[in-house]
Amino acid sequence: MAQTSRGGLLERLAAGPVIGDGSFVMTLERRGYVKAGPWTPEAVVQYPDAVRQLHRDFLRAGADVMQTFTFYSSDDKLQYAGHLKEVEESINCRTVNEAACDLARGVADEGAALVAGGFSPVPGYAEKGRAYVIGEFHKQLDVFKGKRVDFLLGEFFGNVEEAEWSIEVMRQSDLPVACTMRIGPAGDLDGVTPEECAIRMAKAGAAVVGVNCFYDPFIALDTVSRMKNALDKAGLSVHLMIQPMAWHSPEIRNDQRGYSVLPEFRFAMEPRLLTRAEVARYARQAYNMGIRYIGGCCGFEPCHIRAIAEELAEERGFRPPGRDKHSGFESLKKSVSEYQKPRGNRQYWEKLVPASGRKDGKLLADVPPKTERNTMRETGPVDE
């Protein structure tokens, strides 16, 4: 386990904001190292330099945490994606998780970052049951303990029951445990409210709870606000965490299916991307709400994480490592273009309503209606 001058996760959260990292599976898909559809992380074995560079990009942007790229890395998921049949000896839960830990630790040690060992849903959850899912989680835990990560993080759970199972396993170590769910105001896939999800995760033993992915920051903030109120009323003292997606998604605010039902997912999401000014606003609102672990998930590029780190620089007591090439909006005042100089201030970018440049563009998408098939509990992989 790394020993840094700034302490471990819980010590850092008690002292001020902790900045998480951003998108891996989506960003690496865009860069050509992850296959869309399966969304599995074998790139840590096949293309380690690509994963290492993305870790470095987030570290330079100001991230305090290097999360292992172990999303969908259970044997259950890898087998579903076909990897165990094709290259069983090199692509499996152990090899992927070990390689991911080594990459995250190598970059974390270049700065004062922590390494988070990441758990995610097991596709066999609904059909194979508790004992099977817990067994899959234990395979990852064995690696994370052996590699001495700094804390454990469960994420992207659509059912609070599976989140509880992950917490049960994670607590069998002596490491801090955090857990987030891919839920919005409508709650989990079984209709369990955000309030009840937060309480159940806290009672299961997570020291940090919140949401990640599936919804944009401002929907996620509303969800965590409800969690916070419920936790306060229940007298449960835990830290709050938020890592939303980076695409505007008002159409799905109350849709438990999340971003995967948007017609643009996955190959036309770019017009929905948050601006850096919007990300800074999200970071400020999250901090003011009392959330102390603030990061991003799908779509959050290093520039977005830098926007969070710069917005909260005073609270953290320092600016991100990439400050040598970033002086904020003021830098445009040094442009040779007379059109850019007036834009060298924060107010301009906060008030800007970006245009899409598309004459036939539309404000909101037509989301497919819910059916019995697409609202059932997940029995297979869900796009992340």
Side-chain angles (χ1 to χ4, degrees):
M1 185 181 303
Q3 298 296 323
T4 71
S5 59
R6 295 173 54 209
L9 175 66
L10 300 183
E11 290 79 11
R12 295 186 188 206
L13 288 170
V18 169
I19 309 301
D21 58 10
S23 169
F24 268 78
V25 68
M26 292 293 180
T27 296
L28 289 171
E29 185 275 323
R30 285 168 59 92
R31 296 183 181 184
Y33 299 103
V34 164
K35 182 182 290 186
W39 306 114
T40 46
E42 63 274 7
V44 296
V45 174
Q46 297 173 334
Y47 303 105
D49 288 344
V51 178
R52 184 182 296 109
Q53 184 59 53
L54 187 53
H55 277 305
R56 283 196 177 120
D57 291 345
F58 284 124
L59 183 71
R60 178 172 171 80
D64 295 308
V65 176
M66 298 292 104
Q67 186 173 331
T68 58
F69 182 32
T70 49
F71 178 79
Y72 275 168
S73 65
S74 66
D75 278 335
D76 183 72
K77 171 59 180 177
L78 292 170
Q79 186 171 16
Y80 190 100
H83 293 297
L84 294 187
K85 296 177 182 177
E86 298 172 2
V87 282
E88 184 174 1
E89 293 184 359
S90 61
I91 306 296
N92 57 57
C93 178
R94 176 164 291 279
T95 58
V96 167
N97 279 263
E98 287 180 343
C101 286
D102 291 342
L103 290 169
R105 174 60 71 199
V107 175
D109 286 350
E110 295 174 5
L114 301 173
V115 173
F119 296 79
S120 56
V122 175
Y125 159 69
E127 294 181 343
K128 298 180 181 178
R130 170 186 165 86
Y132 179 83
V133 171
I134 286 180
E136 292 295 281
F137 288 149
H138 268 292
K139 294 178 186 178
Q140 288 188 269
L141 180 65
D142 290 344
V143 173
F144 294 149
K145 289 168 66 175
K147 292 294 184 177
R148 299 180 65 81
V149 301
D150 297 301
F151 69 97
L152 302 174
L153 170 60
E155 65 170 4
F156 200 67
F157 293 107
N159 299 88
V160 68
E161 181 181 59
E162 189 179 11
E164 290 173 310
W165 295 351
S166 76
I167 295 168
E168 177 183 334
V169 172
M170 289 189 282
R171 288 193 66 204
Q172 294 177 29
S173 73
D174 59 356
L175 300 171
V177 172
C179 195
T180 58
M181 297 182 65
R182 63 171 194 256
I183 61 173
D188 83 351
L189 294 174
D190 285 328
V192 180
T193 65
E195 291 88 343
E196 183 64 20
C197 287
I199 289 172
R200 287 174 61 172
M201 286 191 289
K203 287 185 174 180
V208 186
V209 303
V211 300
N212 83 294
C213 210
F214 250 32
Y215 303 93
D216 70 43
F218 306 105
I219 296 174
L221 284 167
D222 289 345
T223 306
V224 178
S225 177
R226 289 174 54 178
M227 288 180 157
K228 181 180 187 299
N229 291 336
L231 291 164
D232 289 344
K233 289 180 181 178
L236 296 170
S237 179
V238 295
H239 293 286
L240 297 173
M241 176 175 179
I242 186 169
Q243 296 206 116
M245 70 174 188
W247 300 298
H248 288 284
S249 59
E251 305 98 313
I252 59 171
R253 177 182 179 84
N254 295 308
D255 194 323
Q256 293 150 313
R257 298 171 297 170
Y259 63 34
S260 61
V261 298
L262 291 171
E264 300 92 345
F265 186 83
R266 161 66 188 95
F267 302 124
M269 294 290 280
E270 287 81 0
R272 293 177 176 268
L273 194 65
L274 297 168
T275 68
R276 298 178 221 184
E278 289 169 329
V279 171
R281 175 160 58 92
Y282 143 67
R284 177 55 56 192
Q285 290 181 12
Y287 183 83
N288 289 345
M289 187 187 297
I291 302 171
R292 290 297 177 264
Y293 194 130
I294 304 169
C297 197
C298 292
F300 265 78
E301 297 291 332
C303 65
H304 293 123
I305 298 304
R306 186 177 69 197
I308 297 174
E310 290 286 9
E311 177 64 25
L312 300 178
E314 183 175 349
E315 288 79 6
R316 299 172 81 205
F318 57 91
R319 294 184 63 211
R323 59 187 176 273
D324 63 316
K325 293 296 183 181
H326 182 70
S327 55
F329 303 118
E330 300 291 320
S331 63
L332 291 182
K333 292 181 177 179
K334 296 182 179 180
S335 173
V336 297
S337 170
E338 293 301 318
Y339 296 105
Q340 291 186 30
K341 290 180 179 179
R343 303 171 191 166
N345 62 86
R346 183 184 182 114
Q347 293 72 28
Y348 173 87
W349 298 102
E350 289 180 336
K351 294 178 180 179
L352 179 69
V353 178
S356 71
R358 292 176 173 82
K359 294 173 62 176
D360 57 350
K362 58 195 302 185
L363 179 61
L364 300 177
D366 299 319
V367 175
K370 296 181 182 180
T371 66
E372 182 178 354
R373 178 189 177 101
N374 62 30
T375 56
M376 65 187 296
R377 287 163 56 142
E378 85 178 59
T379 57
V382 173
D383 286 340
E384 198 263 9

